[in-house]
Amino acid sequence: MTNKPSILLTGGAGYIGSHTFVALIEAGFTPIILDDFSNSKPAVLERLQRITGQPVKCQQGSVADVELVQGLIHRHQIATVIHFAGFKAVGESVAQPLKYFENNLGGMMALLNAMQSTTCRTLVFSSSATVYGDPASVPITEDFPRSHTNPYGHTKLVCEDMLAAMRVANPAWRTGVLRYFNPVGAHPSGLIGEDPAGPPNNLMPYVAQVAVGKRPFLNVYGNDYATPDGTGVRDYIHVQDLAQAHVAAVQTLLHGADSFAVNVGTGQGHSVLEVVRAFEQASGKPVPYQIAPRRAGDVAQCYADATLAQDLLGWRAKQTLANMCEDSWRWQSNNPDGFV
Ligand code: UFG
């Protein structure tokens, strides 16, 4: 019988958590999901069972429930926690900052409290390129100054700082901070993918809904940026590559490496219009668009220098923009109404 370390995934039923769940099983781990389904649907569990061919271990509940989390860590002898659970809509965070402080900061505090009462001191955290604020240049390296431009970004930055303070207080803590750039795409089975509630805030799911006929056209937020075609440039990363980055982060920490904070991107930028064209190609459907004013808070360009993740984790992104669009389209066209 091989030893399969147990990994607790807070928010594991969500978009990135569910893809990471599959990747962890394939890598020989035993993932356990904790999710309150506030921004995910229980229907994902049956899909995960179909993909992995085994029953899905899932506890419904909140990461803020310290006793529940303590109990899970003890019962499953959790080796590492991956903390995905958190709200992530930038605009909503501006309108309702307290909701973000309470959930994202309160959730992290409760999790650290729960872990502190156990022997588990290894944590991987879903951070974001948003911690670089409005970067002075691209590509972005991990030593760029951190700042924030909205309450959501502020919570990511403070969570990173909380982890740093825990490490100072007790060097037994080992933490892996993954700064995601723009996760897109879906599992190649078409069984799981991103299922935003209401109109998508992010580009790729919006484009997918236009291609499938759910929305008439895309608003392109600005075509007068200082970029090759005037539209915003981002580092889109396939969620399958991102899932593999979590596996690499867990393996690296469990092998005794020091704490780290790394960019998780491809190192390549693509404009909004490039994404539109790639999606049309992948789907064979037109994606009508109109040029709209710039969206408040957007930056012209944001893409990673992804070499540190390769050096420290032995991980690098492999999938192309075409792959991302093909998989996103398979998910969208097979599940036009998401998980139902
Ligand atoms: N865009 C459009 N139309 C849309 C949606 C987006 O033109 O309907 C454009 C944006 O202006 C931007 C690009 O597409 O140029 C990407 O926008 P997204 O909303 O998909 O992604 P962002 O880069 O704005 O935001 C992402 C994450 C945030 C995170 C931020 C910075 O969604 O959580 O990166 O790291 F804070």
Side-chain angles (χ1 to χ4, degrees):
M1 181 82 185
T2 51
N3 179 26
K4 293 185 169 185
S6 295
I7 315 294
L8 181 64
L9 312 187
T10 75
Y15 173 45
I16 297 163
S18 58
H19 289 78
T20 302
F21 178 91
V22 175
L24 284 168
I25 288 192
E26 286 168 351
F29 292 96
T30 302
I32 293 119
I33 293 173
L34 168 67
D35 207 299
D36 65 1
F37 298 107
S38 59
N39 195 25
S40 59
K41 300 211 183 92
V44 72
L45 303 176
E46 185 266 326
R47 303 291 184 91
L48 290 175
Q49 183 160 341
R50 274 166 70 185
I51 294 171
T52 62
Q54 49 184 275
V56 173
K57 294 185 180 179
C58 177
Q59 169 72 53
Q60 179 165 1
S62 169
V63 68
D65 184 338
V66 176
E67 274 177 31
L68 177 72
V69 176
Q70 274 171 359
L72 283 170
I73 294 174
H74 280 305
R75 201 160 57 253
H76 296 281
Q77 297 183 300
I78 296 294
T80 303
V81 178
I82 308 183
H83 184 39
F84 296 104
F87 294 149
K88 59 170 189 173
V90 173
E92 183 185 59
S93 82
V94 174
Q96 301 178 59
L98 203 48
K99 180 174 171 178
Y100 278 68
F101 298 149
E102 206 168 299
N103 190 63
N104 294 8
L105 301 182
M108 177 63 104
M109 265 192 271
L111 174 61
L112 293 171
N113 253 315
M115 289 178 72
Q116 191 150 255
S117 68
T118 71
T119 55
C120 182
R121 295 280 181 282
T122 311
L123 178 65
V124 174
F125 174 56
S126 300
S127 191
S128 164
T130 194
V131 299
Y132 298 116
D134 190 352
S137 61
V138 282
I140 299 169
T141 52
E142 287 80 356
D143 55 3
F144 270 37
R146 295 177 313 142
S147 65
H148 55 86
T149 54
N150 55 69
Y152 157 75
H154 200 172
T155 66
K156 290 293 179 193
L157 201 148
V158 172
C159 283
E160 287 195 0
D161 290 344
M162 282 185 195
L163 297 181
M166 297 305 283
R167 292 194 301 270
V168 170
N170 179 356
W173 279 96
R174 274 167 333 102
T175 61
V177 169
L178 300 182
R179 295 180 180 149
Y180 308 163
F181 279 69
N182 290 62
V184 297
H187 190 269
S189 64
L191 288 169
I192 56 173
E194 189 171 10
D195 183 18
N201 296 309
N202 296 117
L203 178 65
M204 184 77 83
Y206 205 103
V207 167
Q209 292 195 3
V210 173
V212 85
K214 276 183 83 169
R215 301 189 188 276
F217 59 87
L218 170 76
N219 278 309
V220 173
Y221 297 136
N223 67 348
D224 56 354
Y225 285 107
T227 61
D229 65 18
T231 66
V233 166
R234 296 291 183 277
D235 188 338
Y236 298 95
I237 174 162
H238 198 300
V239 67
Q240 291 284 90
D241 278 333
L242 182 52
Q244 290 302 332
H246 290 81
V247 172
V250 168
Q251 286 169 335
T252 301
L253 290 173
L254 290 182
H255 283 131
D258 289 342
S259 297
F260 55 82
V262 296
N263 291 338
V264 186
T266 65
Q268 247 205 310
H270 292 288
S271 75
V272 175
L273 294 182
E274 277 182 89
V275 171
V276 167
R277 279 192 293 273
F279 208 96
E280 287 183 327
Q281 187 88 32
S283 64
K285 304 282 180 194
V287 176
Y289 66 85
Q290 66 177 27
I291 304 299
R294 291 182 177 192
R295 186 171 65 176
D298 273 354
V299 301
Q301 303 200 68
C302 177
Y303 58 89
D305 179 320
T307 49
L308 189 63
Q310 174 141 26
D311 292 349
L312 294 184
L313 311 183
W315 169 91
R316 70 183 171 81
K318 298 193 174 110
Q319 306 224 36
T320 62
L321 182 61
N323 300 146
M324 301 178 209
C325 293
E326 281 157 20
D327 290 332
S328 170
W329 174 242
R330 188 175 305 104
W331 156 252
Q332 181 68 62
S333 54
N334 289 352
N335 308 270
D337 298 313
F339 294 109
V340 283

